[in-house]
Amino acid sequence: MDRISLLPDEVLGHILSFLPSKQAASTSLLSQRWRNVFVLVPSLDLDYVLDEARPYRHDHSKDFMDFVESLLILRGKSPVKKFALKIHLPHLFGIDPSRIHYWICNVLELGGLVDLDLFIIFQGELHLVPLLIFKSKTLVKLRLGRGFTLKLSHQDVYLPMLKTLCLDTVDFEGGHDVLENLLTRCPLLEELVLDDQRWKTRCGSVSSPSLKRLRIRFFNIPIISLDVPNLVYLELSCIFGSKYANLNLDSLIEARLNLWVEERRLRVLRGGFAHLDSSDLMDLITAIRNVKVLHLTSDALELFYYSGQDLPMFDNLVCLSIASDKKQGWQVLPLLIKNSPNLETLIFKGLEHYGTSKCGDACVCFGTWEGSPSCLSSSRVKVLEIWGYQGTPRELNQVKHFLKKLPCLELVKICAVINIQVPIDVQYLLKLPRASSNCKIEAIS
């Protein structure tokens, strides 16, 4: 007996919602009972990716377009809550942009659309986004990715329910005003993602009183302005070189600074042949001083040092995560630990770093600092995590140094790489001199 077919239509529609739309639609061929069940699926997930192993034929694109339109016809006036369209081609390969516009507008006109995800990758002419998207009274989440250009006036936009907006490699025709028009007309916006953002002006500015989470990845923007007083999470990914101005980050709790600097420029800074202005980075450092969680790339950590010795106090910081690399140093680490009196969790993504006499007593680059005062000795760190441990002698000496200097340690987690040179001997580590008698050690791969 076919017990599945006996289930109510609503339950069958819910089951089909876990399948790609093409597979869900194919169930209409099973029997008369299943002919229109897929219409009850509240989402459409359409994916067209060119298979490089197969020779391309023009009718592939025609088949895809015909399938989408037949699907929309069969659904009739059944509303769609989520519409995802992903096209990944070297160029349009026979895809008609006007038909893409039609699909989007068709779904929007049905009403009730909550989640719209458009991610289209191709080489060639960029196409304008249908303006109807920006007048939706129901959209809560909107993602636009690649191959689109935004050209919006203040009157073109009103998204009263939108809470999440993701823009990936989207062009703004009209400069900064386009983003400003967009943000000011999204009164409930809480999360904004700007990936590989293309500002065509000297200043990239984000201003929103409702925004709580912001992720930006950009290149070659001279000035960055962030007026987001209620932001709690910031992820900033960029090549070092921008200036920072008009930073309002008073509510920030967590910051992730993924900064990269050219090796040539880093050599100039190390040699003392150049200096950084406060607007280069210190203004940003000062603006995030109240965070509780801070993540730094190895480049960002060294840039902190060259931003000046007037590092602000991080009184609220309880978790510090640092990515290490053989090309970048820990020069600022002693001062950063000293200026973080309430730090409880310290995470190292690797222990290898550029050796220098300026790393101070935080590492063992130049001796073990026996008998001398240490920034670690006055630290309240309770949890130490070491990721990507390779088991080298230098790393082992660094672990010994931490155990000997951190008096409040309660737990040390060592996460080793799969091909570790020497397996971690926890029993050996437990026998080493420790500043904290209550310290436990865990080792995992």
Side-chain angles (χ1 to χ4, degrees):
M1 182 181 293
D2 181 5
R3 295 186 181 276
I4 294 180
S5 296
L6 297 177
L7 294 172
D9 287 354
E10 292 75 13
V11 176
L12 294 178
H14 180 68
I15 293 172
L16 294 184
S17 68
F18 294 97
L19 296 176
S21 292
K22 190 172 184 179
Q23 294 182 18
S26 67
T27 61
S28 63
L29 302 176
L30 291 175
S31 66
Q32 184 72 25
R33 168 73 179 89
W34 287 84
R35 185 173 300 277
N36 295 312
V37 171
F38 83 94
V39 174
L40 300 173
V41 177
S43 61
L44 282 178
D45 190 347
L46 304 169
D47 195 344
Y48 180 34
V49 179
L50 183 65
D51 186 352
E52 296 181 359
R54 296 172 55 195
Y56 171 78
R57 297 200 318 268
H58 190 274
D59 56 358
H60 290 166
S61 294
K62 183 178 183 302
D63 290 344
F64 174 73
M65 291 187 293
D66 291 345
F67 166 72
V68 174
E69 288 172 5
S70 64
L71 200 60
L72 293 174
I73 291 172
L74 287 172
R75 290 188 62 90
K77 296 186 179 299
S78 299
V80 177
K81 289 186 177 180
K82 178 180 179 181
F83 182 57
L85 176 63
K86 300 171 186 176
I87 300 177
H88 191 170
L89 301 172
H91 50 78
L92 276 183
F93 266 133
I95 294 290
D96 185 352
S98 65
R99 294 175 79 171
I100 296 178
H101 278 227
Y102 167 74
W103 304 338
I104 298 169
C105 293
N106 178 279
V107 172
L108 285 165
E109 288 169 353
L110 291 173
L113 187 65
V114 174
D115 187 340
L116 179 59
D117 185 351
L118 304 176
F119 196 75
I120 301 176
I121 301 176
F122 62 86
Q123 294 177 355
E125 183 182 356
L126 298 176
H127 296 277
L128 295 176
V129 181
L131 291 180
L132 189 60
I133 291 176
F134 302 100
K135 288 287 190 177
S136 171
K137 295 181 180 180
T138 58
L139 267 184
V140 175
K141 184 175 182 179
L142 172 61
R143 182 192 185 206
L144 297 176
R146 303 190 180 180
F148 288 114
T149 297
L150 293 187
K151 183 179 181 181
L152 302 169
S153 66
H154 189 76
Q155 293 75 21
D156 292 330
V157 185
Y158 186 55
L159 295 165
M161 301 300 292
L162 193 70
K163 291 187 176 182
T164 300
L165 174 62
C166 304
L167 302 177
D168 185 341
T169 322
V170 171
D171 268 357
F172 291 153
E173 186 172 312
H176 166 66
D177 290 344
V178 176
L179 183 61
E180 184 177 359
N181 290 334
L182 185 54
L183 295 183
T184 56
R185 302 289 282 172
C186 300
L188 299 183
L189 190 65
E190 295 181 355
E191 181 175 7
L192 176 63
V193 178
L194 301 174
D195 200 355
D196 192 10
Q197 196 48 57
R198 302 177 179 184
W199 273 289
K200 294 182 178 180
T201 58
R202 284 187 52 81
C203 179
S205 177
V206 175
S207 178
S208 170
S210 61
L211 208 59
K212 294 181 179 180
R213 296 178 62 86
L214 174 62
R215 292 196 292 124
I216 307 179
R217 184 171 69 92
F218 63 87
F219 303 95
N220 302 322
I221 300 176
I223 302 174
I224 299 296
S225 172
L226 303 175
D227 182 14
V228 278
N230 292 302
L231 198 73
V232 295
Y233 176 84
L234 172 65
E235 183 173 338
L236 195 62
S237 303
C238 62
I239 295 176
F240 176 72
S242 299
K243 305 284 187 181
Y244 296 90
N246 302 321
L247 300 176
N248 186 354
L249 303 168
D250 292 343
S251 301
L252 200 62
I253 294 176
E254 181 175 356
R256 187 180 296 271
L257 302 185
N258 304 320
L259 305 183
W260 297 278
V261 60
E262 295 177 351
E263 189 173 347
R264 174 186 58 81
R265 187 166 187 181
L266 196 55
R267 287 199 302 267
V268 171
L269 290 171
R270 285 174 181 165
F273 303 113
H275 301 281
L276 301 182
D277 296 327
S278 62
S279 60
D280 288 322
L281 194 60
M282 184 54 75
D283 288 349
L284 176 62
I285 295 173
T286 303
I288 65 170
R289 67 189 182 281
N290 292 320
V291 295
K292 292 183 178 180
V293 182
L294 179 60
H295 308 266
L296 300 175
T297 59
S298 54
D299 283 21
L301 184 69
E302 187 157 1
L303 287 169
F304 267 44
Y305 176 75
Y306 292 112
S307 295
Q309 293 301 305
D310 295 329
L311 197 69
M313 294 295 294
F314 287 82
D315 291 320
N316 299 329
L317 190 66
V318 294
C319 179
L320 174 62
S321 173
I322 294 170
S324 292
D325 187 274
K326 292 181 180 179
K327 296 181 179 180
Q328 280 77 37
W330 286 2
Q331 298 97 313
V332 81
L333 190 57
L335 182 58
L336 185 54
I337 292 176
K338 181 181 177 182
N339 285 14
S340 306
N342 296 304
L343 187 65
E344 295 184 353
T345 300
L346 184 56
I347 302 171
F348 288 95
K349 298 176 182 178
L351 291 176
E352 295 285 351
H353 59 279
Y354 179 75
T356 168
S357 59
K358 296 179 181 180
C359 289
D361 52 8
C363 75
V364 290
C365 287
F366 288 82
T368 57
W369 300 84
E370 293 290 345
S372 60
S374 170
C375 67
L376 302 176
S377 299
S378 59
S379 172
R380 297 182 181 180
V381 170
K382 296 178 181 180
V383 178
L384 174 66
E385 296 185 15
I386 298 169
W387 302 359
Y389 184 79
Q390 301 180 54
T392 65
R394 183 179 176 185
E395 287 177 310
L396 180 58
N397 286 335
Q398 186 63 56
V399 172
K400 291 178 180 179
H401 183 66
F402 285 141
L403 289 172
K404 196 171 184 178
K405 294 293 185 180
L406 290 169
C408 299
L409 268 185
E410 297 177 2
L411 177 62
V412 175
K413 287 184 179 181
I414 303 177
C415 304
V417 295
I418 296 176
N419 57 341
I420 185 172
Q421 298 180 19
V422 180
I424 303 172
D425 188 343
V426 175
Q427 295 304 316
Y428 169 74
L429 294 176
L430 288 172
K431 294 176 183 178
L432 294 173
R434 285 174 288 162
S436 171
S437 59
N438 298 322
C439 180
K440 297 179 180 180
I441 299 176
E442 294 180 3
I444 59 176
S445 295

